[in-house]
Amino acid sequence: MYETIEFEVKNHVAWVTLNRPEKLNAFNEQMKIEIKESLKKAAADPDVRCIVITGNGRAFCSGQDLQSVNEDTDYGEHLRKYYNPMIQQMAAIEKPIIAAINGTAAGAGLSLALACDFRLAHEKSSFIEAFIHVGLVPDSGNMYYLPRIVGHAKALELAILGEKISAAEAKDIGLVTQVIPHDKWNEDVTAFAEKLAHMPTKAIGLIKRYFNQSWDSNLQEVLGKEAYAQKIAGSSYDHREGIAAFLEKRKPLFLGK
Ligand code: T3D
């Protein structure tokens, strides 16, 4: 069904695997369309409670396919048509999204990882703000997320110097959640994703929505939004289950509703 990605749902987790390994999973037009379609499908499926984006081969994603651009390419239009809607779509999905960074993440491939809610890094993975090496600026949400994740000074350093950093360095600066050794990669990524997929999905969605909005809100507005969100979470099945499990001294069985 898809030409440039693989898509599978298993144990409440949707796996979106970028599949152009010979180009280090660089984005061509088809891949951007297919990622968007698969995310839409995962978002709409009530059985899906966590999404993982990963890559086949030795890279996560090397950014825009540089063989598919030329001097007539209108990058502004290209971003507005493909990348920006994808990044906005990811922020709007009220389910956790994990980037399972199996190898190099470069340029807009790094932006894709930054737009995820969690970043798990393979021990051999690397990260590079490659834009500067082709005379471009960070895009696809990179200028929004990178300084928020690693801080202004570090973000400028990475974007302007464009030096490759290792998974261990990425962990040190807070860019990734966890570095996973090669022999534990599949097992640990699956365990992390399935753990999230069995948590209170509705509350996770609300956390994501209001954390995102908090950047543009003052304290009074955030307090109001927290009260609103808590009213919704407080009337959920999972809240009742959490309280019951606590009182009965058992493990909760959250259903994501
Ligand atoms: O709207 C718009 O379209 C503008 C948006 C732009 C967003 C961007 O993403 S701009 C930044 C684009 N990405 C890059 O500049 C990264 C280019 N790639 C690299 O710098 C390096 O390949 C890596 C650092 C990612 C990995 O280096 P290395 O040494 O491990 O691998 P390699 O040998 O360079 O690449 C292996 C193959 O993948 C090679 O093909 P070959 O020679 O074996 O046939 C290489 O050409 C290909 N490849 C890697 N990245 C891309 C690519 N082909 C097309 N586009 C790529 N981005």
Side-chain angles (χ1 to χ4, degrees):
M1 177 183 169
Y2 293 111
E3 287 170 30
T4 61
I5 65 163
E6 293 168 353
F7 181 77
E8 186 191 14
V9 176
K10 206 171 162 195
N11 296 333
H12 303 295
V13 178
W15 295 83
V16 177
T17 305
L18 312 184
N19 193 26
R20 301 185 73 222
E22 69 292 349
K23 301 276 180 202
L24 304 189
N25 298 321
F27 290 110
N28 63 5
E29 200 173 305
Q30 185 66 11
M31 195 163 94
K32 282 172 273 195
I33 292 170
E34 291 185 356
I35 294 172
K36 199 154 184 293
E37 278 176 12
S38 65
L39 291 177
K40 189 173 170 192
K41 199 165 158 187
D45 184 347
D47 189 46
V48 170
R49 293 169 59 192
C50 177
I51 300 168
V52 178
I53 303 178
T54 190
N56 272 337
R58 69 179 177 90
F60 173 69
C61 176
S62 61
Q64 173 62 33
D65 186 329
L66 296 177
Q67 279 156 349
S68 71
V69 293
N70 57 50
E71 56 194 25
D72 295 327
T73 304
D74 179 338
Y75 289 131
E77 190 189 310
H78 201 205
L79 286 165
R80 281 188 286 272
K81 185 168 176 190
Y82 295 111
Y83 287 100
N84 296 0
M86 178 175 78
I87 299 302
Q88 282 176 305
Q89 176 191 27
M90 290 169 71
I93 292 176
E94 298 203 339
K95 301 177 181 184
I97 308 179
I98 300 168
I101 304 159
N102 52 298
T104 311
L110 178 51
S111 306
L112 177 71
L114 295 174
C116 292
D117 306 307
F118 296 91
R119 281 160 292 284
L120 303 180
H122 184 281
E123 62 181 346
K124 291 270 168 59
S125 64
S126 58
F127 301 78
I128 178 166
E129 287 272 281
F131 307 92
I132 196 72
H133 300 303
V134 288
L136 291 177
V137 301
D139 63 19
S140 309
N142 201 296
M143 287 199 193
Y144 181 87
Y145 285 116
L146 190 63
R148 283 169 167 81
I149 294 170
V150 303
H152 180 89
K154 197 71 197 176
L156 273 185
E157 186 187 313
L158 292 172
I160 294 175
L161 300 181
E163 285 168 5
K164 190 187 277 190
I165 62 168
S166 67
E169 288 167 303
K171 175 79 171 68
D172 281 348
I173 61 170
L175 185 56
V176 301
T177 310
Q178 199 176 316
V179 179
I180 300 176
H182 176 73
D183 57 344
K184 303 261 285 165
W185 177 246
N186 289 335
E187 185 189 334
D188 284 10
V189 171
T190 304
F192 193 93
E194 291 187 358
K195 178 181 162 182
L196 278 170
H198 290 83
M199 289 179 68
T201 314
K202 194 171 223 173
I204 292 176
L206 289 164
I207 292 170
K208 190 170 161 177
R209 187 199 304 172
Y210 291 108
F211 265 52
N212 278 337
Q213 289 186 16
S214 77
W215 296 110
D216 309 313
S217 310
N218 63 31
L219 176 62
Q220 192 181 338
E221 288 162 342
V222 171
L223 290 171
K225 287 174 183 179
E226 285 174 352
Y228 175 77
Q230 200 65 298
K231 185 175 163 59
I232 301 173
S235 57
S236 67
Y237 170 87
D238 284 342
H239 170 58
R240 289 196 300 280
E241 166 62 6
I243 296 281
F246 176 77
L247 295 177
E248 292 161 21
K249 299 189 186 301
R250 61 172 173 81
K251 257 186 94 176
L253 183 64
F254 294 122
L255 299 182
K257 58 185 187 181

